Amino acid sequence: MSVRKLLLQVLLLAAFCTVQAQSVEIIPQPTKVDIRKNAQGFTFSAEKTKVFAPDNCETARIFNESLQAYYPQREDVQRKDDKMAQNLDGSIIFINTAMKNLGSEGYIIDVNSRRITIEANEETGFFYALQTLWQLIGEDFYLNQYNEDFVPVVGYVKQIPSCKIEDYPRFSYRGKHLDCARHFWDANYIKKYIDLLAFHKLNTFHWHLTDDQGWRIEIKKYPKLQSVAAYRNGTLIGHYSDRPESEHIYDTIRYGGYYTQEQIKDIVAYAKKRHITIIPEIELPGHAQAALAAYPEFSCRNVPIEVCKTWGVLDDVFCPKEETFKFLEDVLDEVMALFPSEYIHIGGDECPTVRWKECDYCQNLMKEKGFKNENDIQAYFTTRIEDYLNKHGRKIIGWDEILEKGVRQSATILSWQGEQGAINAAKRGNNAIMAASAYLYFNFYQGIAASEPVSFGGFTPLKKTYTFDPVSDVLTQEESKHILGMQACTWTEYIDNTTLLEYNDMPRLAALSERAWSKKEVRDYDDFVNRLDNVLKIYEHAGFNYSKSHFAVSVQSESKKNGIELSLSSKLRNGTIYYTLDGSTPNENSKKYTKPFIIKNDVVLQAVVYKDGKKFSPLLKTNYHINKATGKKYEMSDINPQYSSTGKYPLTDGVCGNKKSYDSWVGTYGKDYNVVLDLEKPTEINSIGINFMDEQGSWIFLPEEVKMYVSNDKQSWQQVSNVEQTRLKDNASVVNYKANCKQKARYVKILGVSIGNCPEGHSGAGYPAHTFADEIEVR
């Protein structure tokens, strides 16, 4: 053994022997925790603590063997027999029980000075108890197979506080989706990913296997799905919105891969041992270009096309011919043989009707069936597939569009566009799973865009995920029973390596875990962040790359008589904030933040958090443009809670958003933009301005018209004429609306008239359009 490793062991042993745990910091928060404050806890020894369990307890064996891998002198699991006199002191004991309130996934852990007892009704309960036990023991042994540098500590002990934990999940469906079509992850990494989900007590892996950019599952009857559909001849360079679609640039690297059926069987079995069900997704009738590149005869045009090299919604979809249904049924036969899950996900989202409108077969089908429009074709398509799967004892899950197009009662709706899909499903009597993109899409930015890797768009910080509840208050108690749970999704258009994938998922996975498992009343974000420390240590120990964006410096601005007061804060415990206002990058020699400070002119604020002498957080860099509106209060109706930005008054915080800084924008959804600003006293006004975003690929449209008004009493309004529209040269997606005027007024009103719904021909045609604005400026 090297001197370095020996020294490390001695230091760690000294540290661990002196640790006296005083609290139980578990994620997800257990249902009930009783800490015996004045009682002596249990001394866990990695080498000596025995394990007793019934013969059929697989979890006890897994736990013991994970320790034996490092301490081979450990005894094997000993049989727990109620009829035998056994010395159980100094042991961990697994006990079968029959408590109705625990269900199949619940457990009880009771820790005292003599022993730890773990009770559960079923093996799944023991497994989730083990995930909690690992957190009580600490990061030192969990997921060690992924830590090449792990050195077991000789004589390792850990003091576990005396407590009783009673725990069971709120929701039966706790899911995580991963898109393997846009970018491909090898089979070994999928297993690692499943271990990560299991640690977070998630029980469903939604495996997105097919899309326009690649087909990832071997289908033996159709070999061109492997040889053709699984590979594309290049990939988009940069972000989709960087330039017009006609000017997109692609690399020429052949990219792809697929999972063999043997690999899939192995992964399904691996997941089952971790009490995770895998639900495969086979996209139809849209997002089918990869399949149609291999078999164009199942399209409407029957012309050669290639596996897609870009992202977005594409016009080539499956044609509802009998040959197509035979193809899809053959595919689903092989899929069902591989996946024993009750559900098969059939996609159903974002299916353009362009090809169906041009197709003679489709138009004749519409006449034959008496369809009103092409949307009825999708309903016909979906219900035929649903009936086929039902006949084979399976049920379908689909994105919320399938509800709008028409499905049977047995279909479960995965609501991604917001809460409404799940609400509509529950009121209709269909089961639903909440996956609202604004809260549960982990490919969205989680921090200030300037400090983040390129993402799809949107803004989903850790707190936004954590504070979201999947059961809407508009549902009755009976309707709420149809909300089976929640799921987060990671789409991988801009995620092409595992380091980046982990960065996007963690620690938002921990927030998902607690919202899906813990009781509704658990909504203390500050407490969650404190408990998160232990989970972050496990991430680090296992070598996972997690984001520290939630520790970044946040700023609140408030108008004061002598200027704008800025307050800085960070969620990092025992961290120190350093900042600059002169454009230089802050370090430990910069000004230390101790209290709020005043700015009077335009400045560039940069701030960072240090811990233990090292930079810990991403850099905050914010340009402040001070004007008469900065820091002032306003009233606004119809704010979309999914896009309400951060801070108290984000439209007057002095910071102008750009097309990537989704944290700055405030949105409405299908509603007019109506803001009333209070300047606090009659003020000389020379100009009024506001920025709106034009990002139609994300369903964000400019208002049809922008009107501006002034008033002194908020009752009588005078319209300001000649509102000019200017597209910013260095940020083409942002348009400034400005009116010059000579007025003295206290109140300013800005009305942006929404287009209402996305227009015909747009991928979101018929759905409400977003209107985004940021930063009101009054000069």
Side-chain angles (χ1 to χ4, degrees), residues 619-717:
L619 175 69
L620 168 75
K621 183 177 181 180
T622 305
N623 294 298
Y624 279 89
H625 301 278
I626 307 302
N627 62 87
K628 295 175 181 178
T630 308
K632 299 298 192 298
K633 300 177 182 179
Y634 58 83
E635 297 173 355
M636 180 175 171
S637 58
D638 298 315
I639 295 177
N640 182 355
Q642 297 186 52
Y643 299 104
S644 55
S645 186
T646 57
K648 197 170 184 180
Y649 293 103
L651 293 178
T652 57
D653 60 6
V655 181
C656 295
N658 58 48
K659 70 176 182 180
K660 292 183 179 178
S661 59
Y662 281 80
D663 54 301
S664 297
W665 299 88
V666 177
T668 61
Y669 188 50
K671 302 288 187 178
D672 290 342
Y673 215 92
N674 197 337
V675 187
V676 176
L677 171 70
D678 184 359
L679 295 172
E680 299 176 353
K681 62 182 180 180
T683 303
E684 294 290 344
I685 299 174
N686 295 310
S687 67
I688 304 168
I690 187 171
N691 292 336
F692 283 92
M693 182 183 283
D694 183 18
E695 195 65 58
Q696 297 183 16
S698 300
W699 299 18
I700 303 169
F701 289 80
L702 294 175
E704 288 186 331
E705 184 180 11
V706 174
K707 301 177 182 179
M708 299 180 181
Y709 305 84
V710 294
S711 173
N712 278 305
D713 57 7
K714 216 163 58 166
Q715 301 295 323
S716 176
W717 293 96

Side-chain angles (χ1 to χ4, degrees), residues 527-553:
D527 177 64
F528 165 76
V529 171
N530 288 337
R531 286 182 284 113
L532 188 61
D533 277 0
N534 287 340
V535 172
L536 298 184
K537 290 175 183 176
I538 291 174
Y539 292 163
E540 291 173 2
H541 177 76
F544 288 113
N545 179 46
Y546 66 90
S547 169
K548 297 177 181 177
S549 298
H550 59 292
F551 290 133
V553 178

Side-chain angles (χ1 to χ4, degrees), residues 12 80 112 115 236 289 316 435 580 619 627 636 657 742:
L12 289 175
K80 170 71 174 67
N112 60 40
R115 65 190 65 155
L236 177 70
Q289 187 160 317
D316 282 298
T580 63
L619 175 69
N627 62 87
M636 180 175 171
K742 291 287 184 180

Side-chain angles (χ1 to χ4, degrees), residues 35 53 56 130 258 299 418 500 563 622:
I35 299 176
N56 61 349
L130 179 56
Y258 63 93
S299 69
L500 196 52
T622 305

Side-chain angles (χ1 to χ4, degrees), residues 456-689:
F456 186 89
F459 183 56
T460 309
L462 181 67
K463 185 176 183 179
K464 194 173 182 182
T465 297
Y466 182 79
T467 54
F468 175 66
D469 192 88
V471 180
S472 171
D473 292 338
V474 306
L475 295 174
T476 66
Q477 186 174 0
E478 191 62 31
E479 291 167 344
S480 296
K481 294 177 182 178
H482 288 290
I483 307 297
L484 303 182
M486 60 194 297
Q487 172 180 297
C489 301
T490 305
W491 300 97
T492 63
E493 288 92 338
Y494 304 103
I495 303 173
D496 61 359
N497 61 76
T498 58
T499 300
L500 196 52
L501 173 60
E502 292 164 8
Y503 180 91
N504 276 267
D505 275 1
M506 290 177 274
R508 288 186 285 194
L509 270 177
L512 167 70
S513 170
E514 186 149 306
R515 300 316 309 138
W517 178 282
S518 302
K519 56 187 179 181
K520 183 177 182 180
E521 293 73 22
V522 176
R523 289 191 184 185
D524 189 330
Y525 179 68
D526 290 337
D527 177 64
F528 165 76
V529 171
N530 288 337
R531 286 182 284 113
L532 188 61
D533 277 0
N534 287 340
V535 172
L536 298 184
K537 290 175 183 176
I538 291 174
Y539 292 163
E540 291 173 2
H541 177 76
F544 288 113
N545 179 46
Y546 66 90
S547 169
K548 297 177 181 177
S549 298
H550 59 292
F551 290 133
V553 178
S554 62
V555 188
Q556 294 291 337
S557 59
E558 186 175 351
S559 178
K560 299 290 185 179
K561 289 183 179 180
N562 57 338
I564 303 301
E565 183 181 81
L566 300 183
S567 302
L568 311 184
S569 62
S570 169
K571 289 295 182 182
L572 181 66
R573 286 194 288 189
N574 303 318
T576 303
I577 298 174
Y578 295 94
Y579 71 96
T580 63
L581 299 173
D582 60 2
S584 63
T585 302
N587 54 41
E588 285 186 290
N589 297 318
S590 303
K591 190 171 182 62
K592 179 165 53 171
Y593 176 77
T594 56
K595 62 181 180 181
F597 56 90
I598 297 290
I599 60 173
K600 298 180 180 181
N601 303 302
D602 291 3
V603 299
V604 179
L605 168 68
Q606 297 194 75
V608 70
V609 184
Y610 272 72
K611 184 178 182 180
D612 299 328
K614 295 181 180 179
K615 177 185 172 183
F616 194 87
S617 76
L619 175 69
L620 168 75
K621 183 177 181 180
T622 305
N623 294 298
Y624 279 89
H625 301 278
I626 307 302
N627 62 87
K628 295 175 181 178
T630 308
K632 299 298 192 298
K633 300 177 182 179
Y634 58 83
E635 297 173 355
M636 180 175 171
S637 58
D638 298 315
I639 295 177
N640 182 355
Q642 297 186 52
Y643 299 104
S644 55
S645 186
T646 57
K648 197 170 184 180
Y649 293 103
L651 293 178
T652 57
D653 60 6
V655 181
C656 295
N658 58 48
K659 70 176 182 180
K660 292 183 179 178
S661 59
Y662 281 80
D663 54 301
S664 297
W665 299 88
V666 177
T668 61
Y669 188 50
K671 302 288 187 178
D672 290 342
Y673 215 92
N674 197 337
V675 187
V676 176
L677 171 70
D678 184 359
L679 295 172
E680 299 176 353
K681 62 182 180 180
T683 303
E684 294 290 344
I685 299 174
N686 295 310
S687 67
I688 304 168

